[in-house]
Amino acid sequence: MLQTVGVGGTLAVAGCLTTERVGNVTVKSVAAPGSLNPALAVDIDRIAADPTDIPGPITRTTPDTVVVELETRELVAEIEPGVTFTYMTFNSQIPGPLIRTRVGDTVDLTITNHPENTMPHNIDLHAVRGPGGGAEDTLVMPGETKRITFKVTYPGLFVYHCAVPNLDYHISAGMFGAILVEPEEGLPAVDHEFYLGQHELYTNGKTGEEGHHDFDFEAMAREDPTYVLINGEKYAIGPQGYNDMQMNTGETARVYFAVGGPNLFSSFHPIGSVWDEVYPQGAILSDPHRYVQTTPVLPGSAVIATLSSPVPLPIKLVDHALSRVARKGCLAVIDVQGEPDPEVYNPTP
């Protein structure tokens, strides 16, 4: 099955492409379906987290207790139409919920492993000073619940993820998210906030091959993913899918972007714009980089970046390792509406 997606004004083709040598000639062709099992009935219609469904900015001026309840779920969902996979999630979404706090808060965290799950799970939060970032005390078997409390003592945007012995498998299958620790004085006001997460998925099928894809440990060891995804589905977020991220010309948006990995870093780039401000590694109290075209985000790390646009356009958020966009599904789009400004951009001078 072939799919197309426009990238930077070009049309890129993604599908089950193979090459073989016939004499001295290299022949490119679309691979026939392999030995995958048929696609399974899905447990959930949408695994991609809504990038706008996040807690609002913190306005209080004193620390408080933030109650967080997470449930681990193993769910069958579609990577793209006709292609299913058994994901692992926090709260049935990828990435897991954005946890929002401020410096000095105490987080009262409960984690429950759904009784229908088949594997143990836990959580390691990079904002935690404690054994394994909390992982050692949150290990839950199916049907179990654990509770911990911790104080957030430093500001920034930090990744959390499952950290059982096969942690790379669990992260790849979707078990990661982010915790935001606002500084005591809060964050500057913006018109919109969006939350996204990138990870790579290793399966026994080819990209776009219809059927049920099982996890492939050998492909993961080679760091050769079948898909590289933003919010867990191929080309999920934007007018081509769930058109959640919308803004108007002249407005500002802050993007919280986490890379679960487990292996590949992202070269995070907004096609049609630049990042007005970038806080590398989510280090919100550091001096921002300004007018950045592409910012690297390491696996197990995050970035806070802001943007705006004076003209209407789709701002395509991509990993600028562009084969991951054209071939493996790594794309999210902010739909910017408004009146044209020919002084800034004129397509018909």
Side-chain angles (χ1 to χ4, degrees), residues 18-215:
T18 61
T19 61
E20 58 180 329
R21 296 288 294 179
V22 179
N24 293 322
V25 179
T26 300
V27 179
K28 296 183 178 180
S29 62
V30 178
S35 57
L36 296 180
N37 290 320
L40 297 179
V42 299
D43 298 317
I44 187 171
D45 291 332
R46 173 176 176 170
I47 205 78
D50 181 341
T52 68
D53 185 17
I54 60 178
I58 293 175
T59 58
R60 53 185 164 82
T61 58
T62 57
D64 203 349
T65 297
V66 178
V67 177
V68 177
E69 296 182 354
L70 296 177
E71 182 183 49
T72 63
R73 294 297 307 272
E74 300 162 13
L75 299 168
V76 176
E78 285 190 324
I79 306 170
E80 59 177 306
V83 181
T84 60
F85 179 77
T86 303
Y87 291 90
M88 301 184 219
T89 70
F90 291 104
N91 287 20
S92 304
Q93 65 177 64
I94 301 172
L98 180 70
I99 301 169
R100 192 164 200 154
T101 66
R102 75 181 288 281
V103 169
D105 282 350
T106 295
V107 178
D108 187 333
L109 171 66
T110 300
I111 182 169
T112 299
N113 192 340
H114 193 277
E116 294 180 5
N117 288 344
T118 62
M119 288 174 278
H121 298 293
N122 65 5
I123 186 169
D124 169 1
L125 304 102
H126 293 183
V128 169
R129 297 187 192 272
E136 293 186 19
D137 297 305
T138 57
L139 181 66
V140 280
M141 302 301 291
E144 288 186 341
T145 295
K146 294 282 181 70
R147 178 181 172 221
I148 62 171
T149 63
F150 60 90
K151 180 174 285 189
V152 285
T153 59
Y154 42 88
L157 182 67
F158 304 97
V159 165
Y160 66 77
H161 58 85
C162 188
V164 296
N166 282 327
L167 76 170
D168 48 358
Y169 168 34
H170 289 227
I171 295 169
S172 175
M175 294 197 78
F176 73 99
I179 176 170
L180 173 64
V181 185
E182 294 192 19
E184 294 177 350
E185 64 273 19
L187 297 175
V190 291
D191 296 303
H192 302 274
E193 292 186 315
F194 303 126
Y195 168 50
L196 299 166
Q198 179 174 321
H199 67 120
E200 64 264 17
L201 195 57
Y202 303 89
T203 81
N204 63 334
K206 296 180 173 64
T207 311
E209 184 178 357
E210 294 191 359
H212 185 74
H213 286 228
D214 292 315
F215 196 80

Side-chain angles (χ1 to χ4, degrees), residues 229-243:
L229 303 170
I230 294 179
N231 285 33
E233 297 180 37
K234 183 177 181 180
Y235 307 145
I237 307 299
Q240 75 285 354
Y242 314 116
N243 195 20

Side-chain angles (χ1 to χ4, degrees), residues 36 43 79 117 121 159 217 257-258 268 287 296 301 327 333 345:
L36 296 180
D43 298 317
I79 306 170
N117 288 344
H121 298 293
V159 165
F217 283 87
F257 183 69
F268 197 37
D287 291 334
S301 190
R327 312 290 169 183
V333 180
Y345 180 77

